[in-house]
Structures are given as C-alpha cells and as structure tokens.
Amino acid sequence: MTGPDNLSQSPTVNRDEHDDSENGSVTLAVSTVILALRKKDGESQSSLWLPLVRRLREPYKGQWALPGGPLPSDLSLEQAAGSTLKRATGLVPGYLEQLYAFGDVLRTPDHHVKRDGGPLTVPAADEAPANRTVSVVYWASIPATEVSRTRVHENIRWFPLDELPVLAFDHNEIIEYAKYRLQNKVEYSRIAHSFLGEEFTLAQLREVYEAILERPLDPANFRRQIAASKSIIDTGKRVEGTRHRPPRLYRYDHSQAFSDQGPLGMYRAAEHAKAEGSKTQ
C-alpha cells in the first residue's frame, strides 16, 4: 500500500470541481483485516490474531502494515481483497465483507482526529505530499480448521490483536475499528460461525464469542440464546473419542447466509429468490 496524502488547499471559491490541476494524484487501494483464532503460548483460551506484512520500502520501511495494495484494473474490490488474503495466508476466507473506506487527507499516526475530542490537525500547504491514497478496507475470517495451513514467510507475521506494535499509516486505527464492528456484529450475524469448521460444538462456538467479546459467557445462557436464534442445526452426530458423554456437533444454517451481508447482500438474495421462483412457474 502506498503512502496516504493530501489534496492541495485552494482559496479560490468558484474553482471548477472537475479541475484537478491543483490536486495531487489519488490512488485507490484495497487492504484486508484478516482475523483468526489462535492460542498464545501457555494459554488454553483462544484469542483473535491477524497477519501483518513488513514494508520493504518507504514510507515506513521496516514497519508492519495490513496486507493490501493499489486496486488492479482487472479486479473488483472484493476480488482484490480476496487476492490480498490469498497472498498473505495462502488460503480462502471463511467470511469476507467490506468494512469501510478510509480517506483522511493525511493518513498518518500524527495527523488524525484525536479520540478524546481534540482538533483535526490541518497540514500546511508546503506539507502536502504529491500523492494521496484512499483505502477500501475489507475484513475476513479464517476457519480454525485452516489456520495451521497459513503461509509462512519472513515478511509476514501473525500478531495477537491485543499486542500490536505501532503500524504504518493509520492501520492501528483501522484494526481498532474492525474490532469494534466485529464486537457489535457478532450479536446479530453469522460471523462467529465463520471462525469454525463446517461442524462444531457449542463449546467451540462459545469460545469464538468469548474471544471476540473479550469476556466469559455463561454456558447455559449461551445455549439458550443460540437455540433462540435458530442459526445452527444439530447434525445428529457427536464428537468421537471422548471419555465422557461426547458433545453434539452442529452446523450453520446456510439458508441465512445472505441475511448479514448488508443491503447489497439482501438485494441479491431477493433477486436470487425471484429468479428461482420464476423457474418453478
């Protein structure tokens, strides 16, 4: 991903909005926040981790950053995000969704709106760089059954979400926002299931919720809430090779797959249903 930048400031009130002569170039990039459950050394509970890539050129040479880069002309946004994930992990996502577009004029750690309500730092005219990057960011999950197969490379490293270094550009803020959205979304969507394999136990599903929400959950209450959501189906099978009564195995109800993909996903689901209905007439 190239360095973010600023558009030139102009005092001319009636400047043609299509006149780019006073503006620097703007690059559209795609980055991906890739999340998976892993265990820290010596800990029994899983937590959220993500892969970062080491920058090999300036700016921020040697620092860690989210995987991504300029949008290729022959790929859609979603295809570019999936390609980024494939390069960083060697895998395909269990879940992929557009998170947000980040386009602050200067996307650096020392030029941002302070979270305590402080003022926006406005760069001086002679501070404006030649290029600016607007990043469309996706988030993705890797199923637990696939994590051990992730790509290994000297310039790619997995970090616990709660132990991140200072990253390049505004990537710390992007990850914090992804975490915030995930914690809210897990309450009403299927996203927790995407961190698991095709079949899972209720205890494994609860562990995902606990890792995302960063707090323990009462098993009995969790069981009732999941039953009320009707989002999982009993496979009729149980875990094999356990000493005590083996736990039941469940799977996600794929008939609900489109419901949490946002307005576009709901629109596509409706169009798909209409098309299928017309075939049966």
Side-chain angles (χ1 to χ4, degrees), residues 83 94 104 153 189 205 213 222 228 234 281:
S83 175
D104 282 354
H153 190 276
S189 76
L205 181 58
L213 297 174
F222 180 78
D234 190 339
Q281 293 178 357

Side-chain angles (χ1 to χ4, degrees), residues 5 15-16 23 30 32 39 42 49-50 75 83 96 125 133 150-151 160 162 165 167 170 201 243 260:
D5 187 61
R15 187 182 67 185
D16 185 347
N23 294 342
V30 179
T32 310
K39 289 183 172 68
W49 293 56
L50 81 168
L75 295 181
S83 175
L96 182 66
T133 297
T150 55
R151 182 186 179 200
D162 58 356
L167 306 180
D170 55 353
T201 67
R243 289 185 178 182
D260 64 342

